[in-house]
């Protein structure tokens, strides 16, 4: 399966699922995302996530306080403000041979 746009693969309240050999490219929000943290015994293998974009202003901050993102019309899932290729709130899942590509958008010269 190839995915482009919003969202990637979202697994919600599901256990014992196989997600294998998928491509999520140019996705807004999390790409391969086990949403609630109750998902267990899922097997995610050989998936590719690339060129991931946050939805709305990206999470960040200049100190330890971070930033607050609240669910609303422009941001259905606050976790998407810190979008990632692979996300799970539960370690009882299997992630094998996954690949993430994110081009550098920094302006640092490396000097």
């Amino acid at each position: 399966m190839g995915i482009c746009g919003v969202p990637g693969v979202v697994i919600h309240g599901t256990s014992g699922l196989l997600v294998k050999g998928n491509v999520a490219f140019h996705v807004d929000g999390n790409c391969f995302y086990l949403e609630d943290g109750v998902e267990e015994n899922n097997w995610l293998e050989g998936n590719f996530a690339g060129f991931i974009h946050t939805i709305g202003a990206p999470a960040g901050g200049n100190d330890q306080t971070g930033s607050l993102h609240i669910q609303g019309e422009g941001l259905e899932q606050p976790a998407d403000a810190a979008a990632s290729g692979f996300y799970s709130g539960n370690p009882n899942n299997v992630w094998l041979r996954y690949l993430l590509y994110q081009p550098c958008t920094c302006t640092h010269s490396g000097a």
Side-chain angles (χ1 to χ4, degrees):
M1 167 175 48
I3 301 163
C4 188
V6 145
V9 174
V10 178
I11 301 171
H12 176 78
T14 303
S15 296
L17 185 66
L18 172 63
V19 178
K20 184 176 181 179
N22 298 285
V23 173
F25 185 78
H26 225 310
V27 171
D28 296 330
N30 291 296
C31 288
F32 295 91
Y33 180 50
L34 281 71
E35 188 172 23
D36 294 325
V38 298
E39 300 83 8
E40 293 186 323
N41 302 314
N42 294 294
W43 190 282
L44 294 95
E45 179 179 354
N47 297 296
F48 171 82
F51 205 48
I52 305 142
H53 313 283
T54 61
I55 296 175
N62 296 326
D63 55 28
Q64 293 293 321
T65 61
S67 57
L68 178 62
H69 295 269
I70 299 173
Q71 182 176 354
E73 185 176 322
L75 185 63
E76 186 173 326
Q77 177 53 263
D80 286 335
S84 68
F86 303 92
Y87 176 90
S88 175
N90 189 328
N92 295 322
N93 294 283
V94 176
W95 301 80
L96 292 174
R97 296 192 308 266
Y98 52 89
L99 183 61
L100 174 67
Y101 169 75
Q102 187 67 22
C104 179
T105 57
C106 62
T107 58
H108 179 58
S109 66

